[in-house]
Amino acid sequence: MLFRSVNIRSVESYTNDELVGAIYWAEGGPRARYLYGIRSVKYSSKAKAKQACLETIQKNRRKWAEAGYQGDFIDYLHKIYAPPEAHPLNKHWARNVRYFLARGQTL
């Protein structure tokens, strides 16, 4: 039986920048219609979209901490960033973000 080496870390150990990168790829990377999945605010550049993503992560890490670190942060963020009920493909968001984190595929 063959096993692939996978970078296994606690989700909480990933930096905000690593999460931003994983979200970028999970949302489609350079071919995404909405960079970083940002649809709630207008942005004029990739850097502005990245900043909006980073600020969303920072704000929700604080909220997650205030809530007593209930559950996994990616699952917590999933409900806010890409609610499964908003679009059928959103149900895969958390799994896709974890995939890119585990691969080390960030910016």
Side-chain angles (χ1 to χ4, degrees), residues 11-12 56-84 93-94 98:
V11 171
E12 293 74 28
T56 300
I57 291 168
Q58 291 169 333
K59 176 178 74 176
N60 284 290
R61 275 207 201 248
R62 283 190 299 273
K63 287 182 175 183
W64 180 63
E66 290 166 4
Y69 301 102
Q70 297 294 314
D72 177 272
F73 178 68
I74 296 293
D75 292 332
Y76 179 87
L77 189 61
H78 180 194
K79 294 172 189 167
I80 297 156
Y81 204 97
W93 188 88
R98 284 187 184 93

Side-chain angles (χ1 to χ4, degrees), residues 9-91:
R9 289 170 50 189
S10 164
V11 171
E12 293 74 28
S13 73
Y14 288 101
T15 67
N16 289 342
D17 286 334
E18 288 172 315
L19 284 168
V20 166
I23 289 170
Y24 174 77
W25 290 108
E27 290 289 347
R31 295 183 307 229
R33 184 172 180 191
Y34 299 99
L35 293 174
Y36 300 90
I38 300 298
R39 297 180 70 176
S40 60
V41 296
K42 291 189 182 215
Y43 52 87
S44 57
S45 67
K46 181 180 177 183
K48 299 257 186 206
K50 181 180 179 181
Q51 185 62 35
C53 178
L54 177 61
E55 289 172 6
T56 300
I57 291 168
Q58 291 169 333
K59 176 178 74 176
N60 284 290
R61 275 207 201 248
R62 283 190 299 273
K63 287 182 175 183
W64 180 63
E66 290 166 4
Y69 301 102
Q70 297 294 314
D72 177 272
F73 178 68
I74 296 293
D75 292 332
Y76 179 87
L77 189 61
H78 180 194
K79 294 172 189 167
I80 297 156
Y81 204 97
E85 63 277 0
H87 190 281
L89 291 177
N90 285 0
K91 69 181 180 180

Side-chain angles (χ1 to χ4, degrees), residues 7 22 68 85 101:
N7 181 12
E85 63 277 0
L101 285 170

